[in-house]
Amino acid sequence: MHDSSRSHDLGELSLDKLVACHECDLLMLKPELAPSERAECPRCGFELFSYQPHMLGRSLALVIAALLLYVPANFLPILQLRLLGQTTEDTVWSAVAALYESDLQGIAVVVFLCSMGIPLLKLLCQLVVLLSIRWDVGRGYGLLLYRIYHHLREWGMLEVYFMGILVSIVKLLSLADLAVGTGLACFICLLLVQVWLEITMSPHQVWEALSRGRAHASH
């Protein structure tokens, strides 16, 4: 852990050598971090940024894994319901379609965007950003997509949808025979991979790499 305590005589320094705390707005010198170290604000203790070793390779592997899990998580059965001799299988996509066919088009669109559309768009933005850094091409577009990704983060609600699935399972257990499908296992794995990706893909390192590449391209 690194304490960024030097916060005086900053007026003549270039912006790339400074960092501001997102919580208390304290402006300070940007510390040099070793792998696995993190910088904290000396005033409020907020984590400014951390240095993730092998961030690019690990993040790419996690994004690709998440994209591979996306299709089975959304289109394979999550639950198998047996009631009165009839068996039905539900997927994330079938739930959206059922809402739409039940004259709840507005809710269907919201559920689709939050559980399928926006999570996929976030993953694609992350993939393109990481590839632009890896191949050192189109970093200006990478900056734009990374800004879009940060605006989308608040709208991807897989964890909320997962809680809804758990509540449904608890309520249906007393009414019918339930069997957990492969889609639910893939959905849980997708959720865990995305959480791991959020931890691994250090925003500070991504912004730094994109800005550095753009600065070199402009010279």
Side-chain angles (χ1 to χ4, degrees):
M1 183 176 66
H2 196 288
D3 187 352
S4 304
S5 57
R6 294 178 294 173
S7 56
H8 56 279
D9 299 332
L10 304 178
E12 298 180 358
L13 294 174
S14 60
L15 292 178
D16 61 344
K17 294 182 179 180
L18 302 175
V19 62
C21 177
H22 294 286
E23 291 295 312
C24 68
D25 296 327
L26 179 66
L27 187 65
M28 66 205 84
L29 288 173
K30 184 184 296 183
E32 295 292 334
L33 298 183
S36 301
E37 278 192 333
R38 68 178 189 272
E40 291 184 354
C41 175
R43 177 189 288 170
C44 65
F46 179 78
E47 182 177 320
L48 301 172
F49 57 87
S50 60
Y51 183 86
Q52 298 288 341
H54 311 295
M55 183 277 295
L56 185 58
R58 292 168 60 192
S59 297
L60 271 172
L62 289 170
V63 167
I64 293 171
L67 287 170
L68 291 175
L69 286 167
Y70 178 86
V71 173
N74 286 286
F75 294 98
L76 288 183
I78 290 179
L79 293 176
Q80 188 178 71
L81 178 66
R82 299 185 188 92
L83 181 63
L84 301 176
Q86 295 185 342
T87 300
T88 58
E89 293 181 336
D90 293 312
T91 67
V92 176
W93 172 249
S94 69
V96 173
L99 287 170
Y100 190 86
E101 292 170 359
S102 300
D103 293 328
L104 297 171
Q105 287 85 359
I107 297 176
V109 170
V110 172
V111 172
F112 171 77
L113 289 176
C114 293
S115 63
M116 297 182 67
I118 293 177
L120 177 60
L121 188 56
K122 282 171 53 184
L123 288 172
L124 293 175
C125 285
Q126 288 173 298
L127 177 64
V128 174
V129 167
L130 292 169
L131 289 177
S132 72
I133 297 173
R134 183 66 174 267
W135 294 336
D136 196 16
V137 293
R139 297 203 183 192
Y141 294 106
L143 279 168
L144 174 62
L145 288 174
Y146 200 52
R147 291 190 182 98
I148 293 173
Y149 160 75
H150 275 281
H151 288 297
L152 292 174
R153 289 179 65 184
E154 299 177 359
W155 292 94
M157 301 181 182
L158 287 182
E159 62 279 3
V160 176
Y161 196 86
F162 178 61
M163 290 302 298
I165 293 172
L166 292 181
V167 171
S168 300
I169 291 175
V170 172
K171 289 188 175 182
L172 290 172
L173 279 175
S174 60
L175 301 176
D177 294 329
L178 288 180
V180 175
T182 307
L184 183 59
C186 294
F187 194 90
I188 294 172
C189 289
L190 174 60
L191 184 59
L192 293 175
V193 168
Q194 286 194 312
V195 171
W196 191 2
L197 178 59
E198 292 285 339
I199 297 171
T200 302
M201 192 172 171
S202 169
H204 171 74
Q205 288 173 261
V206 173
W207 284 121
E208 193 174 62
L210 290 171
S211 300
R212 190 190 312 122
R214 191 180 182 186
H216 289 167
S218 63
H219 285 309

